[in-house]
Coordinates of all heavy atoms in Angstrom, one line a residue:
M1 N 29.1 74.7 10.5 CA 30.0 73.7 9.9 C 30.3 72.6 11.0 O 30.6 72.9 12.1 CB 31.3 74.5 9.6 CG 32.3 73.6 8.9 SD 33.5 74.7 8.2 CE 34.9 73.8 8.3
A2 N 30.2 71.4 10.5 CA 30.5 70.2 11.4 C 31.9 70.1 11.8 O 32.8 70.4 11.0 CB 30.0 68.9 10.8
L3 N 32.1 69.7 13.1 CA 33.5 69.5 13.5 C 34.0 68.1 12.9 O 33.3 67.1 13.0 CB 33.6 69.4 15.0 CG 33.3 70.8 15.7 CD1 33.3 70.5 17.2 CD2 34.3 71.8 15.4
M4 N 35.2 68.1 12.5 CA 35.8 66.9 11.9 C 36.7 66.2 13.0 O 37.3 66.9 13.8 CB 36.7 67.2 10.7 CG 35.9 68.0 9.7 SD 35.6 67.2 8.1 CE 36.7 66.0 7.8
D5 N 36.6 64.9 13.0 CA 37.5 64.2 14.0 C 38.9 64.4 13.5 O 39.3 64.1 12.4 CB 37.1 62.7 13.9 CG 37.9 61.9 14.9 OD1 38.6 62.4 15.8 OD2 37.7 60.6 14.9
Q6 N 39.7 64.8 14.4 CA 41.2 65.1 14.1 C 42.1 64.0 14.8 O 43.3 64.3 14.9 CB 41.5 66.5 14.7 CG 40.7 67.6 14.1 CD 41.3 68.1 12.8 OE1 42.5 68.1 12.6 NE2 40.5 68.5 11.8
T7 N 41.5 62.9 15.2 CA 42.3 61.9 15.8 C 43.3 61.3 14.8 O 42.9 61.0 13.7 CB 41.4 60.7 16.3 OG1 40.4 61.2 17.1 CG2 42.2 59.6 17.0
P8 N 44.6 61.3 15.1 CA 45.6 60.7 14.2 C 45.4 59.3 13.9 O 45.0 58.5 14.8 CB 46.9 61.0 14.9 CG 46.6 61.2 16.3 CD 45.2 61.7 16.4
V9 N 45.6 58.9 12.7 CA 45.4 57.5 12.3 C 46.8 57.0 12.0 O 47.5 57.6 11.2 CB 44.5 57.3 11.1 CG1 44.5 55.9 10.6 CG2 43.1 57.8 11.4
M10 N 47.2 55.8 12.6 CA 48.5 55.3 12.3 C 48.4 53.9 11.7 O 47.5 53.1 12.0 CB 49.3 55.2 13.6 CG 49.7 56.5 14.1 SD 50.8 56.2 15.5 CE 49.8 56.9 16.8
D11 N 49.3 53.6 10.8 CA 49.3 52.3 10.2 C 50.2 51.4 11.0 O 51.4 51.7 11.1 CB 49.9 52.4 8.8 CG 49.7 51.1 8.0 OD1 49.3 50.1 8.6 OD2 50.1 51.1 6.8
V12 N 49.7 50.5 11.7 CA 50.5 49.7 12.7 C 50.9 48.3 12.1 O 51.5 47.6 12.9 CB 49.7 49.5 14.0 CG1 49.4 50.8 14.7 CG2 48.4 48.7 13.7
L13 N 50.7 48.1 10.9 CA 51.0 46.8 10.3 C 52.5 46.8 9.9 O 53.0 47.8 9.5 CB 50.2 46.5 9.1 CG 48.7 46.5 9.4 CD1 47.9 46.2 8.1 CD2 48.3 45.4 10.5
P14 N 53.2 45.7 10.1 CA 54.6 45.6 9.9 C 55.0 45.4 8.5 O 55.9 44.6 8.2 CB 55.0 44.4 10.8 CG 53.8 43.5 10.8 CD 52.7 44.4 10.8
W15 N 54.4 46.1 7.6 CA 54.7 46.0 6.2 C 55.4 47.3 5.8 O 55.0 48.3 6.2 CB 53.5 45.8 5.3 CG 52.8 44.5 5.3 CD1 52.5 43.7 4.3 CD2 52.2 43.8 6.5 NE1 51.8 42.6 4.7 CE2 51.6 42.7 6.0 CE3 52.2 44.1 7.8 CZ2 51.0 41.8 6.8 CZ3 51.5 43.2 8.7 CH2 51.0 42.1 8.2
P16 N 56.4 47.2 4.9 CA 57.1 48.4 4.5 C 56.1 49.5 3.9 O 56.2 50.6 4.2 CB 58.1 48.0 3.4 CG 58.3 46.5 3.7 CD 57.0 46.0 4.3
Q17 N 55.2 49.1 3.1 CA 54.2 50.0 2.5 C 53.0 50.3 3.3 O 52.3 51.2 3.1 CB 53.8 49.6 1.1 CG 54.7 50.1 -0.1 CD 56.1 49.6 0.1 OE1 56.4 48.5 0.3 NE2 57.0 50.5 -0.1
G18 N 52.7 49.4 4.2 CA 51.5 49.5 5.1 C 50.3 49.7 4.3 O 50.1 49.1 3.2
H19 N 49.3 50.4 4.7 CA 48.1 50.7 4.0 C 47.9 52.1 3.7 O 46.8 52.6 3.5 CB 46.9 50.2 4.9 CG 46.8 48.7 5.0 ND1 46.3 47.9 4.0 CD2 47.3 47.8 5.9 CE1 46.4 46.6 4.3 NE2 47.0 46.5 5.5
G20 N 49.0 52.9 3.6 CA 48.9 54.3 3.2 C 48.7 55.3 4.3 O 48.5 56.5 4.0
F21 N 48.6 54.9 5.5 CA 48.5 55.9 6.6 C 49.9 56.4 7.0 O 50.9 55.8 6.6 CB 47.8 55.3 7.8 CG 46.4 54.8 7.5 CD1 46.1 53.5 7.5 CD2 45.4 55.7 7.2 CE1 44.8 53.0 7.2 CE2 44.1 55.3 6.9 CZ 43.8 53.9 6.9
S22 N 49.9 57.4 7.9 CA 51.2 57.8 8.4 C 51.3 57.5 9.9 O 50.4 57.1 10.5 CB 51.3 59.4 8.2 OG 50.3 60.0 8.9
G23 N 52.5 57.7 10.4 CA 52.7 57.5 11.8 C 53.3 56.1 12.2 O 53.4 55.8 13.4
T24 N 53.7 55.3 11.2 CA 54.2 54.0 11.5 C 55.4 54.1 12.4 O 55.6 53.3 13.3 CB 54.5 53.2 10.3 OG1 55.5 53.9 9.5 CG2 53.3 52.9 9.4
G25 N 56.3 55.0 12.1 CA 57.5 55.1 12.9 C 57.2 55.4 14.4 O 57.8 54.8 15.3
T26 N 56.2 56.2 14.7 CA 55.8 56.6 16.0 C 55.3 55.3 16.7 O 55.7 55.1 17.9 CB 54.8 57.7 16.0 OG1 55.3 58.8 15.4 CG2 54.4 58.1 17.4
W27 N 54.4 54.6 16.1 CA 53.9 53.4 16.7 C 54.9 52.3 17.0 O 55.0 51.8 18.0 CB 52.8 52.8 15.8 CG 52.0 51.8 16.5 CD1 50.9 52.0 17.4 CD2 52.2 50.3 16.5 NE1 50.5 50.8 17.9 CE2 51.2 49.8 17.3 CE3 53.0 49.5 15.8 CZ2 51.1 48.4 17.5 CZ3 52.9 48.1 15.9 CH2 52.0 47.6 16.8
W28 N 55.8 52.1 16.0 CA 56.8 51.1 16.2 C 57.8 51.5 17.3 O 58.3 50.6 18.0 CB 57.6 50.8 14.9 CG 56.7 49.8 14.0 CD1 56.0 50.1 12.9 CD2 56.4 48.5 14.3 NE1 55.3 49.0 12.5 CE2 55.6 48.0 13.3 CE3 56.8 47.6 15.3 CZ2 55.1 46.7 13.3 CZ3 56.4 46.3 15.3 CH2 55.5 45.8 14.3
E29 N 58.1 52.8 17.4 CA 59.0 53.2 18.4 C 58.3 53.0 19.8 O 59.0 52.5 20.7 CB 59.3 54.7 18.3 CG 60.2 55.3 19.3 CD 60.5 56.8 19.1 OE1 60.5 57.2 17.9 OE2 60.6 57.5 20.1
Y30 N 57.0 53.2 19.9 CA 56.3 52.9 21.1 C 56.3 51.4 21.4 O 56.6 51.0 22.6 CB 54.8 53.4 20.9 CG 53.9 52.9 22.0 CD1 53.8 53.4 23.2 CD2 53.0 51.8 21.7 CE1 52.9 53.0 24.2 CE2 52.2 51.3 22.7 CZ 52.1 51.9 23.9 OH 51.3 51.4 24.9
V31 N 56.1 50.6 20.4 CA 56.1 49.1 20.6 C 57.4 48.6 21.1 O 57.5 47.9 22.1 CB 55.6 48.4 19.4 CG1 55.8 46.9 19.5 CG2 54.1 48.7 19.1
M32 N 58.5 49.1 20.4 CA 59.8 48.5 20.7 C 60.3 49.0 22.1 O 61.3 48.5 22.6 CB 60.8 48.9 19.6 CG 60.4 48.1 18.3 SD 60.3 46.3 18.6 CE 60.0 45.7 17.0
N33 N 59.8 50.1 22.6 CA 60.2 50.5 24.0 C 59.5 49.8 25.1 O 59.7 50.0 26.3 CB 60.0 52.0 24.1 CG 61.0 52.8 23.3 OD1 62.2 52.4 23.3 ND2 60.6 53.9 22.8
K34 N 58.6 48.9 24.7 CA 57.8 48.1 25.7 C 58.6 46.8 26.1 O 59.4 46.4 25.3 CB 56.4 47.8 25.2 CG 55.6 49.0 24.9 CD 55.3 49.7 26.2 CE 54.5 51.0 26.0 NZ 54.4 51.8 27.2
E35 N 58.2 46.3 27.2 CA 58.8 45.0 27.6 C 58.3 43.9 26.6 O 57.2 44.1 25.9 CB 58.3 44.6 29.0 CG 58.9 45.5 30.1 CD 60.4 45.3 30.2 OE1 60.9 44.2 30.1 OE2 61.0 46.3 30.5
E36 N 58.9 42.8 26.5 CA 58.6 41.8 25.5 C 57.1 41.3 25.6 O 56.4 41.1 24.6 CB 59.5 40.6 25.6 CG 59.3 39.6 24.5 CD 60.4 38.6 24.4 OE1 60.8 38.0 25.4 OE2 61.0 38.5 23.2
R37 N 56.6 41.2 26.8 CA 55.3 40.7 27.0 C 54.3 41.7 26.4 O 53.3 41.4 25.8 CB 55.0 40.5 28.5 CG 53.6 40.1 28.8 CD 53.3 38.7 28.1 NE 51.9 38.5 28.0 CZ 51.3 37.3 28.1 NH1 52.1 36.2 28.3 NH2 50.1 37.1 28.0
A38 N 54.6 43.0 26.6 CA 53.7 44.1 26.0 C 53.8 44.0 24.5 O 52.8 44.3 23.8 CB 54.1 45.4 26.6
R39 N 54.9 43.7 23.9 CA 55.0 43.6 22.5 C 54.2 42.4 22.0 O 53.6 42.5 20.9 CB 56.5 43.5 22.0 CG 57.3 44.8 22.3 CD 58.6 44.8 21.6 NE 59.5 43.7 21.9 CZ 60.3 43.7 22.9 NH1 60.5 44.7 23.7 NH2 61.1 42.6 23.1
L40 N 54.3 41.3 22.7 CA 53.5 40.2 22.4 C 52.0 40.5 22.4 O 51.2 40.1 21.6 CB 53.8 39.0 23.3 CG 53.1 37.7 23.0 CD1 53.2 37.2 21.6 CD2 53.5 36.6 24.0
D41 N 51.6 41.2 23.5 CA 50.2 41.7 23.6 C 49.8 42.6 22.4 O 48.7 42.4 21.9 CB 50.0 42.4 24.9 CG 50.0 41.5 26.1 OD1 50.0 40.3 26.0 OD2 50.2 42.1 27.2
S42 N 50.7 43.4 22.0 CA 50.4 44.3 20.8 C 50.2 43.4 19.5 O 49.3 43.7 18.7 CB 51.6 45.3 20.6 OG 51.6 46.2 21.6
L43 N 51.1 42.4 19.4 CA 50.9 41.5 18.2 C 49.6 40.8 18.3 O 48.9 40.7 17.2 CB 52.1 40.5 18.3 CG 52.0 39.3 17.2 CD1 51.9 39.9 15.8 CD2 53.2 38.4 17.4
M44 N 49.2 40.3 19.4 CA 47.9 39.7 19.6 C 46.8 40.6 19.2 O 45.8 40.3 18.5 CB 47.7 39.1 21.0 CG 48.7 38.0 21.4 SD 48.4 36.5 20.4 CE 46.9 35.9 21.2
G45 N 46.9 41.9 19.6 CA 45.9 42.9 19.3 C 45.8 43.2 17.8 O 44.7 43.3 17.2
I46 N 46.9 43.3 17.1 CA 46.9 43.5 15.7 C 46.3 42.2 15.0 O 45.6 42.4 14.0 CB 48.4 43.7 15.2 CG1 48.9 45.0 15.8 CG2 48.4 43.7 13.6 CD1 48.1 46.2 15.4
A47 N 46.6 41.0 15.5 CA 46.0 39.8 14.9 C 44.5 39.8 15.0 O 43.8 39.3 14.1 CB 46.6 38.6 15.6
L48 N 44.0 40.4 16.0 CA 42.5 40.6 16.2 C 41.9 41.4 15.1 O 40.8 41.2 14.6 CB 42.1 41.2 17.5 CG 42.1 40.3 18.7 CD1 42.0 41.1 20.0 CD2 41.0 39.2 18.6
L49 N 42.7 42.4 14.6 CA 42.2 43.4 13.7 C 42.5 43.0 12.2 O 41.9 43.6 11.3 CB 42.9 44.8 13.9 CG 42.6 45.4 15.3 CD1 43.5 46.6 15.5 CD2 41.2 45.7 15.4
D50 N 43.5 42.2 12.0 CA 43.9 41.9 10.6 C 44.0 40.4 10.4 O 44.8 39.7 11.0 CB 45.3 42.5 10.4 CG 45.7 42.4 8.9 OD1 46.0 41.3 8.5 OD2 45.8 43.5 8.3
D51 N 43.1 39.9 9.5 CA 43.1 38.4 9.2 C 44.4 37.9 8.7 O 44.8 36.7 9.0 CB 42.0 38.1 8.2 CG 40.6 38.3 8.7 OD1 40.4 38.3 10.0 OD2 39.7 38.6 7.9
D52 N 45.1 38.6 7.9 CA 46.4 38.2 7.4 C 47.4 38.0 8.5 O 48.2 37.0 8.6 CB 47.0 39.1 6.3 CG 48.3 38.6 5.7 OD1 48.3 37.4 5.3 OD2 49.3 39.3 5.8
V53 N 47.5 39.0 9.4 CA 48.4 38.9 10.6 C 48.0 37.7 11.5 O 48.8 36.9 12.0 CB 48.4 40.2 11.4 CG1 49.2 40.0 12.7 CG2 49.0 41.3 10.6
C54 N 46.7 37.5 11.6 CA 46.2 36.4 12.4 C 46.6 35.1 11.8 O 47.1 34.2 12.5 CB 44.6 36.4 12.5 SG 43.9 35.2 13.5
K55 N 46.5 34.9 10.5 CA 47.0 33.7 9.8 C 48.5 33.5 10.0 O 48.9 32.4 10.3 CB 46.6 33.7 8.4 CG 47.0 32.5 7.6 CD 46.9 32.7 6.1 CE 47.4 31.5 5.3 NZ 48.7 31.0 5.7
R56 N 49.2 34.6 9.8 CA 50.7 34.5 9.9 C 51.1 34.1 11.4 O 52.1 33.5 11.6 CB 51.3 35.8 9.5 CG 51.2 36.1 8.0 CD 51.7 37.4 7.6 NE 53.2 37.5 7.9 CZ 53.9 38.6 7.9 NH1 53.3 39.8 7.7 NH2 55.2 38.6 8.1
L57 N 50.3 34.6 12.4 CA 50.6 34.2 13.7 C 50.2 32.8 14.1 O 51.0 32.0 14.6 CB 50.0 35.3 14.7 CG 50.2 35.0 16.2 CD1 51.6 35.0 16.6 CD2 49.4 36.1 16.9
V58 N 48.9 32.5 13.9 CA 48.3 31.3 14.4 C 48.7 30.1 13.5 O 49.2 29.1 14.0 CB 46.8 31.4 14.5 CG1 46.2 30.1 14.8 CG2 46.4 32.5 15.4
D59 N 48.6 30.2 12.2 CA 48.8 29.1 11.3 C 50.3 28.9 10.9 O 50.8 27.8 10.9 CB 48.0 29.3 10.0 CG 46.5 29.3 10.2 OD1 46.0 28.8 11.3 OD2 45.7 29.9 9.4
D60 N 50.9 30.1 10.6 CA 52.3 30.0 10.0 C 53.4 30.1 11.1 O 54.5 29.7 10.9 CB 52.5 31.1 9.0 CG 51.5 31.0 7.9 OD1 50.9 29.9 7.6 OD2 51.2 32.1 7.2
R61 N 53.0 30.8 12.2 CA 54.0 31.2 13.2 C 55.2 31.8 12.5 O 56.4 31.5 12.7 CB 54.5 30.0 14.1 CG 53.3 29.3 14.8 CD 52.6 30.2 15.9 NE 51.3 29.6 16.2 CZ 51.1 28.7 17.1 NH1 52.1 28.3 17.8 NH2 49.9 28.3 17.4
D62 N 54.9 32.8 11.6 CA 55.8 33.4 10.8 C 56.9 34.2 11.6 O 56.7 35.1 12.3 CB 55.1 34.4 9.9 CG 55.9 35.2 8.9 OD1 57.1 35.1 9.0 OD2 55.3 35.8 8.0
D63 N 58.2 33.7 11.4 CA 59.3 34.3 12.2 C 59.5 35.7 11.8 O 59.9 36.5 12.7 CB 60.6 33.5 12.0 CG 61.0 32.7 13.2 OD1 60.4 32.9 14.3 OD2 61.8 31.8 13.1
N64 N 59.3 36.1 10.5 CA 59.4 37.5 10.2 C 58.5 38.4 10.9 O 58.8 39.5 11.3 CB 59.2 37.7 8.6 CG 60.3 37.1 7.8 OD1 61.5 37.1 8.3 ND2 60.0 36.5 6.7
L65 N 57.3 37.9 11.1 CA 56.3 38.7 11.9 C 56.7 38.8 13.4 O 56.7 39.8 14.0 CB 54.9 38.0 11.8 CG 53.8 38.6 12.6 CD1 53.4 40.0 12.1 CD2 52.6 37.7 12.6
L66 N 57.1 37.7 13.9 CA 57.6 37.6 15.3 C 58.8 38.5 15.5 O 58.9 39.2 16.5 CB 57.8 36.2 15.8 CG 56.7 35.2 15.6 CD1 57.1 33.8 16.1 CD2 55.4 35.7 16.4
E67 N 59.7 38.5 14.6 CA 60.9 39.3 14.7 C 60.6 40.8 14.5 O 61.2 41.6 15.2 CB 61.9 38.9 13.6 CG 62.6 37.6 13.9 CD 63.6 37.2 12.8 OE1 63.9 38.0 11.9 OE2 64.0 36.0 12.8
A68 N 59.6 41.1 13.7 CA 59.2 42.5 13.5 C 58.7 43.1 14.9 O 58.9 44.3 15.1 CB 58.0 42.6 12.5
F69 N 58.2 42.3 15.8 CA 57.8 42.8 17.1 C 58.9 42.7 18.1 O 58.6 42.9 19.3 CB 56.5 42.0 17.5 CG 55.2 42.6 16.9 CD1 54.9 42.2 15.6 CD2 54.5 43.5 17.6 CE1 53.7 42.7 15.0 CE2 53.3 44.0 17.0 CZ 53.0 43.6 15.8
G70 N 60.1 42.3 17.7 CA 61.2 42.3 18.5 C 61.2 41.2 19.6 O 61.8 41.3 20.6
L71 N 60.5 40.1 19.2 CA 60.4 39.0 20.2 C 61.7 38.2 20.2 O 62.3 37.9 19.1 CB 59.2 38.1 19.9 CG 57.9 38.8 19.9 CD1 56.8 37.8 19.5 CD2 57.6 39.4 21.2
S72 N 62.2 37.8 21.3 CA 63.5 37.1 21.5 C 63.3 35.7 20.9 O 62.2 35.2 20.6 CB 63.8 36.9 22.9 OG 62.9 36.1 23.6
E73 N 64.5 35.1 20.6 CA 64.5 33.7 20.0 C 63.8 32.8 21.0 O 63.1 31.9 20.6 CB 65.9 33.3 19.8 CG 66.0 31.9 19.1 CD 67.4 31.5 18.8 OE1 68.4 32.3 18.9 OE2 67.6 30.4 18.4
K74 N 64.0 33.0 22.3 CA 63.4 32.1 23.3 C 61.9 32.2 23.2 O 61.2 31.2 23.2 CB 63.8 32.5 24.7 CG 63.3 31.7 25.8 CD 63.8 32.1 27.2 CE 63.1 31.4 28.3 NZ 63.6 31.8 29.6
T75 N 61.3 33.4 23.1 CA 59.9 33.6 23.0 C 59.4 33.1 21.7 O 58.3 32.4 21.6 CB 59.5 35.1 23.1 OG1 59.9 35.5 24.4 CG2 58.0 35.3 23.0
R76 N 60.1 33.3 20.6 CA 59.7 32.8 19.3 C 59.6 31.2 19.3 O 58.7 30.6 18.8 CB 60.6 33.2 18.2 CG 60.5 34.7 17.9 CD 61.2 35.2 16.6 NE 62.4 34.6 16.3 CZ 63.6 35.1 16.7 NH1 63.7 36.3 17.3 NH2 64.7 34.5 16.3
N77 N 60.6 30.6 19.9 CA 60.6 29.1 20.0 C 59.4 28.6 20.9 O 58.8 27.6 20.6 CB 61.9 28.6 20.6 CG 63.1 28.8 19.7 OD1 62.9 28.8 18.4 ND2 64.3 28.8 20.2
W78 N 59.2 29.4 22.0 CA 58.0 29.1 22.8 C 56.7 29.1 22.1 O 55.9 28.3 22.2 CB 58.1 30.0 24.0 CG 57.0 29.9 25.1 CD1 56.8 28.8 25.9 CD2 56.0 30.8 25.4 NE1 55.8 29.1 26.7 CE2 55.3 30.3 26.5 CE3 55.7 32.1 24.9 CZ2 54.2 31.0 27.0 CZ3 54.6 32.8 25.5 CH2 53.9 32.2 26.6
L79 N 56.6 30.2 21.3 CA 55.3 30.3 20.4 C 55.2 29.2 19.4 O 54.1 28.7 19.2 CB 55.3 31.7 19.8 CG 55.0 32.9 20.7 CD1 55.3 34.2 19.9 CD2 53.6 32.8 21.2
H80 N 56.3 28.8 18.8 CA 56.3 27.8 17.8 C 55.8 26.4 18.4 O 55.2 25.6 17.8 CB 57.7 27.5 17.2 CG 58.0 28.6 16.2 ND1 57.4 28.7 15.0 CD2 59.0 29.6 16.3 CE1 58.0 29.8 14.3 NE2 58.9 30.3 15.1
A81 N 56.1 26.2 19.7 CA 55.8 25.0 20.4 C 54.3 24.9 20.8 O 53.8 23.8 21.1 CB 56.7 24.8 21.6
I82 N 53.6 26.0 20.9 CA 52.2 26.0 21.4 C 51.3 25.5 20.2 O 51.4 26.0 19.1 CB 51.8 27.4 21.8 CG1 52.6 27.9 23.0 CG2 50.3 27.5 22.1 CD1 52.4 29.3 23.4
Q83 N 50.5 24.5 20.6 CA 49.6 24.0 19.6 C 48.2 24.7 19.8 O 47.6 24.7 20.8 CB 49.3 22.5 19.9 CG 50.6 21.6 19.7 CD 51.1 21.7 18.3 OE1 50.4 21.5 17.3 NE2 52.4 21.9 18.2
A84 N 47.9 25.5 18.7 CA 46.6 26.2 18.7 C 46.1 26.3 17.3 O 46.9 26.5 16.4 CB 46.8 27.6 19.3
T85 N 44.8 26.3 17.1 CA 44.2 26.4 15.8 C 43.4 27.7 15.6 O 42.9 27.9 14.5 CB 43.2 25.2 15.5 OG1 42.2 25.1 16.6 CG2 44.0 23.8 15.6
S86 N 43.3 28.5 16.6 CA 42.6 29.8 16.5 C 43.3 30.8 17.4 O 44.1 30.5 18.3 CB 41.2 29.7 16.9 OG 41.1 29.5 18.3
L87 N 43.1 32.1 17.1 CA 43.7 33.1 17.9 C 43.2 33.0 19.4 O 43.9 33.2 20.3 CB 43.3 34.5 17.3 CG 44.0 35.7 18.0 CD1 45.5 35.6 17.9 CD2 43.6 37.0 17.3
T88 N 41.9 32.7 19.5 CA 41.3 32.5 20.9 C 42.1 31.4 21.6 O 42.5 31.6 22.8 CB 39.8 32.2 20.8 OG1 39.2 33.3 20.1 CG2 39.2 32.0 22.2
E89 N 42.3 30.3 21.0 CA 43.0 29.2 21.6 C 44.4 29.6 21.9 O 44.9 29.2 23.0 CB 42.9 28.0 20.7 CG 43.4 26.7 21.3 CD 43.3 25.5 20.4 OE1 42.7 25.6 19.3 OE2 43.9 24.4 20.7
L90 N 45.1 30.3 21.0 CA 46.4 30.7 21.3 C 46.5 31.6 22.5 O 47.3 31.5 23.4 CB 47.0 31.4 20.0 CG 48.5 31.9 20.2 CD1 49.4 30.8 20.5 CD2 48.9 32.7 18.9
A91 N 45.6 32.6 22.5 CA 45.5 33.5 23.6 C 45.3 32.8 25.0 O 45.9 33.1 26.0 CB 44.4 34.6 23.4
Q92 N 44.4 31.8 25.0 CA 44.1 31.1 26.2 C 45.3 30.3 26.7 O 45.7 30.3 27.8 CB 42.9 30.1 26.0 CG 41.6 30.8 25.8 CD 40.5 29.9 25.4 OE1 40.7 28.8 24.8 NE2 39.3 30.3 25.7
K93 N 46.0 29.7 25.7 CA 47.3 29.0 26.1 C 48.4 29.9 26.5 O 49.1 29.6 27.4 CB 47.7 28.1 24.9 CG 46.7 26.9 24.7 CD 47.2 26.0 23.7 CE 46.2 24.8 23.6 NZ 46.6 23.8 22.7
L94 N 48.5 31.1 25.9 CA 49.5 32.0 26.3 C 49.2 32.5 27.8 O 50.2 32.5 28.6 CB 49.5 33.3 25.4 CG 50.1 33.1 24.1 CD1 49.9 34.4 23.2 CD2 51.6 32.8 24.1
V95 N 48.0 32.7 28.1 CA 47.6 33.1 29.5 C 47.9 32.0 30.5 O 48.5 32.2 31.5 CB 46.2 33.6 29.5 CG1 45.7 33.7 31.0 CG2 46.0 34.9 28.8
S96 N 47.5 30.8 30.1 CA 47.7 29.6 31.0 C 49.1 29.3 31.2 O 49.6 28.9 32.3 CB 46.9 28.4 30.6 OG 47.4 27.9 29.4
L97 N 49.9 29.4 30.1 CA 51.4 29.0 30.2 C 52.2 30.1 30.9 O 53.3 29.8 31.5 CB 51.9 28.7 28.8 CG 51.4 27.5 28.1 CD1 51.8 27.4 26.7 CD2 51.8 26.2 28.9
S98 N 51.7 31.3 30.9 CA 52.6 32.4 31.4 C 52.2 32.7 32.9 O 52.8 33.6 33.5 CB 52.5 33.6 30.6 OG 51.2 34.2 30.6
S99 N 51.1 32.1 33.4 CA 50.7 32.4 34.8 C 51.4 31.4 35.8 O 52.0 30.5 35.5 CB 49.3 32.2 35.0 OG 48.5 31.9 34.0

């Protein structure tokens, strides 16, 4: 009998219904216990995996999305002011502006 992968799968998207996986509470607890920069890094990682999150971050700068990651008003305003047309460009500007 073949061994089955028992790795837990968590739905990390900030939607109330998610995509039907379990463990959202555990993931969000982990994210919210991190410093703000780590939460922003988590958001960027999710944007790499999900086209809708990417659009909401890069094109819309959706405040609901930014608030879901517990980003401060100062950080949200900072993100709104950055001019970027792609996730790569946004990431490059975040790195250059924060160094």
Side-chain angles (χ1 to χ4, degrees):
M1 184 164 149
L3 294 175
M4 306 247 337
D5 183 9
Q6 300 274 328
T7 305
V9 175
M10 289 188 247
D11 189 354
V12 297
L13 301 178
W15 286 237
Q17 269 61 47
H19 288 278
F21 299 113
S22 63
T24 57
T26 303
W27 191 82
W28 280 107
E29 184 178 322
Y30 166 79
V31 169
M32 291 308 182
N33 284 325
K34 297 295 176 190
E35 295 293 325
E36 187 166 53
R37 180 59 197 215
R39 292 194 305 271
L40 181 55
D41 289 345
S42 293
L43 172 56
M44 295 293 288
I46 296 300
L48 280 171
L49 300 172
D50 187 294
D51 290 336
D52 183 54
V53 172
C54 184
K55 180 190 176 311
R56 291 176 64 194
L57 176 62
V58 176
D59 299 336
D60 305 336
R61 305 293 163 87
D62 184 345
D63 252 348
N64 290 325
L65 177 66
L66 302 177
E67 287 177 13
F69 279 82
L71 300 178
S72 68
E73 184 176 351
K74 180 179 177 182
T75 298
R76 292 192 320 266
N77 290 337
W78 181 65
L79 286 169
H80 285 291
I82 297 172
Q83 299 297 312
T85 59
S86 69
L87 188 59
T88 301
E89 188 178 351
L90 179 60
Q92 289 170 338
K93 290 187 178 185
L94 287 175
V95 169
S96 70
L97 291 172
S98 64
S99 359

